[in-house]
Amino acid sequence: MAALVERLDHDSHAEVRAAAAHSLAGLSRAEEPGARAVADALARHGDSPRPEIRAASLQHAMEHGAPDAYDRLLSEFDSADVHWQFLSPSELALTGANVSLPDEVRLPLLERLERLAASGWPACHVDPDDGCPDADERAEMLNDLLERVRTSS
């Protein structure tokens, strides 16, 4: 775990930092003696310019009830060109037993997601060079997240 934190904090390759963030976010922290180090590392990178790092940080924040998690979630979905990386971690976080969206978050998030779906977002901003899912996969991801948010009350 310390090696992953080191990679996230200091590696010169963005892809390595992103992989480290993803790995840290997926660790089972309940049993980890370094849970605080993981949480601190991911929090430090919550405003990273790399969307995949921000997505991992957000997933961790949501799963662990960070006070700013919902504000960060809504902020990411304010953009009409939200990065696809935020759909899967958001859905994963919402499947957790300890995550329940309060109405003051669920309703604005639902509005943002519906606006995204109506805008044709799944077919926009697809960059196959960054490992981006194709338009059909993005549409499925968005529909899955929409359904999860609708039923999260």
Side-chain angles (χ1 to χ4, degrees):
M1 179 201 37
L4 288 172
V5 170
E6 176 68 21
R7 290 290 139 251
L8 175 58
D9 284 342
H10 302 293
D11 201 277
S12 61
H13 296 95
E15 296 81 13
V16 172
R17 289 192 314 276
H22 180 72
S23 294
L24 288 167
L27 288 176
S28 175
R29 283 147 310 274
E31 300 86 33
E32 279 294 324
R36 183 80 256 152
V38 169
D40 290 347
L42 288 168
R44 277 194 303 277
H45 295 277
D47 62 353
S48 171
R50 300 287 301 200
E52 58 270 47
I53 295 174
R54 286 194 323 274
S57 174
L58 179 58
Q59 176 185 340
H60 182 273
M62 289 179 64
E63 290 173 345
H64 291 86
D68 67 340
Y70 293 135
D71 290 338
R72 290 172 53 196
L73 175 70
L74 293 174
S75 177
E76 289 293 347
F77 284 99
D78 276 340
S79 172
D81 64 345
V82 63
H83 197 278
W84 66 271
Q85 290 274 354
F86 288 94
L87 276 69
S88 183
S90 297
E91 184 178 358
L92 282 173
L94 291 174
T95 63
N98 61 343
V99 177
S100 175
L101 288 176
D103 281 342
E104 62 268 15
V105 174
R106 189 178 64 78
L107 297 175
L109 179 59
L110 189 57
E111 290 173 3
R112 286 165 170 84
L113 294 172
E114 288 172 342
R115 186 177 60 234
L116 204 60
S119 74
W121 174 85
C124 300
H125 313 289
V126 176
D127 183 359
D129 292 335
D130 80 350
C132 184
D134 67 25
D136 291 338
E137 292 168 324
R138 288 164 46 116
E140 184 177 338
M141 291 169 72
L142 180 55
N143 287 333
D144 289 348
L145 182 55
L146 264 165
E147 185 60 28
R148 178 77 61 200
V149 172
R150 285 182 181 125
T151 61
S152 69
S153 59

